[in-house]
């Protein structure tokens, strides 16, 4: 398994307790979908993925899980895992409700505004402080669109488009 075949779900935030538990932060739609996982793939930095069995898993706070991972049996070992990324193969991702999509699924889609028509292609997504951000190339400039229901609508997988309703002046601000 390689990172190209996987999606990063989160990371190990810190060691938890003295028996090797890991406190992990997840950036997923529904954390409960991951509570029954028997394995994840892990990698720190540029290291290759390593598949590990999950011995126990339980919720902590919102979007955090406490994991007991095969081979991590004490606090010192758990502390070495801080900053390790957690992955899952794309083929094992849980299905999302209608109208929702994983970001990686719409990269390369045409952004079509309800007033302005086709604008550019989805390049990537970024974490924002208030909400996530859709990154689009428009007239040679990178444009950042807040991912709110008011601005970004549905993705059409058949036509490979994503609809928007951009506020007046957003595009112009990037062209100055």
């Amino acid at each position: 398994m390689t990172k190209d075949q996987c999606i990063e779900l989160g990371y190990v935030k810190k060691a938890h307790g003295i028996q090797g538990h890991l406190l992990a932060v997840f950036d997923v739609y529904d954390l409960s979908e991951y509570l029954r996982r028997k394995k994840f793939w892990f990698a720190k930095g540029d290291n290759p993925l390593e598949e590990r069995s999950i011995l126990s898993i339980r919720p902590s706070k919102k979007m955090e899980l406490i994991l007991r991972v095969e081979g991590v049996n004490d606090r010192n070992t758990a502390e070495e895992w801080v900053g390790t990324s957690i992955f899952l193969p794309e083929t094992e991702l849980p299905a999302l409700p209608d109208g929702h999509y994983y970001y990686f699924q719409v990269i390369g889609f045409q952004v079509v505004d309800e007033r302005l028509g086709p604008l550019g292609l989805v390049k990537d997504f970024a974490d924002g402080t208030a909400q996530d951000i859709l990154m689009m190339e428009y007239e040679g400039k990178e444009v950042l669109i807040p991912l709110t229901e008011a601005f970004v609508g549905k993705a059409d997988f058949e036509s490979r488009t994503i609809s928007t309703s951009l506020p007046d002046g957003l595009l112009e601000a990037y062209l100055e």
Side-chain angles (χ1 to χ4, degrees):
M1 188 69 50
T2 66
K3 289 180 184 176
D4 293 1
Q5 300 167 304
C6 294
I7 299 301
E8 187 173 344
L9 302 176
Y11 65 95
V12 176
K13 181 177 178 180
K14 65 180 185 176
H16 182 80
I18 61 170
Q19 297 179 331
H21 290 87
L22 306 171
L23 180 65
V25 176
F26 282 72
D27 183 15
V28 296
Y29 178 76
D30 182 2
L31 192 60
S32 69
E33 292 281 342
Y34 298 89
L35 290 173
R36 294 174 295 283
R37 295 288 316 169
K38 299 294 183 202
K39 62 183 174 183
F40 286 110
W41 283 257
F42 297 88
K44 192 166 190 176
D46 292 332
N47 292 333
L49 288 176
E50 184 178 338
E51 180 182 355
R52 291 285 183 112
S53 294
I54 303 302
L55 305 176
S56 69
I57 188 169
R58 68 181 194 269
S60 176
K61 297 177 184 171
K62 183 179 179 180
M63 305 315 282
E64 294 181 346
L65 295 176
I66 297 172
L67 306 175
R68 180 76 193 272
V69 177
E70 170 192 26
V72 183
N73 300 314
D74 57 59
R75 184 165 185 95
N76 289 339
T77 305
E79 286 176 352
E80 293 172 8
W81 278 64
V82 172
T84 299
S85 296
I86 304 167
F87 295 86
L88 197 60
E90 286 182 22
T91 57
E92 294 185 29
L93 290 171
L96 294 175
D98 284 343
H100 291 85
Y101 49 84
Y102 289 104
Y103 293 162
F104 75 89
Q105 293 176 307
V106 297
I107 291 178
F109 276 31
Q110 175 72 48
V111 177
V112 180
D113 188 74
E114 65 182 15
R115 290 180 300 110
L116 304 170
L119 300 175
L121 300 180
V122 176
K123 286 180 40 185
D124 206 351
F125 291 86
D127 294 331
T129 52
Q131 68 274 322
D132 290 346
I133 305 291
L134 181 150
M135 300 162 62
M136 172 188 72
E137 182 82 21
Y138 177 73
E139 293 187 8
K141 304 278 185 175
E142 181 178 75
V143 174
L144 307 178
I145 303 171
L147 273 173
T148 66
E149 287 183 24
F151 299 157
V152 180
K154 295 186 185 254
D156 184 329
F157 284 84
E158 198 170 299
S159 65
R160 296 187 46 82
T161 60
I162 190 163
S163 63
T164 61
S165 179
L166 299 182
D168 290 335
L170 181 84
L171 291 177
E172 292 78 9
Y174 287 95
L175 297 177
E176 295 178 352

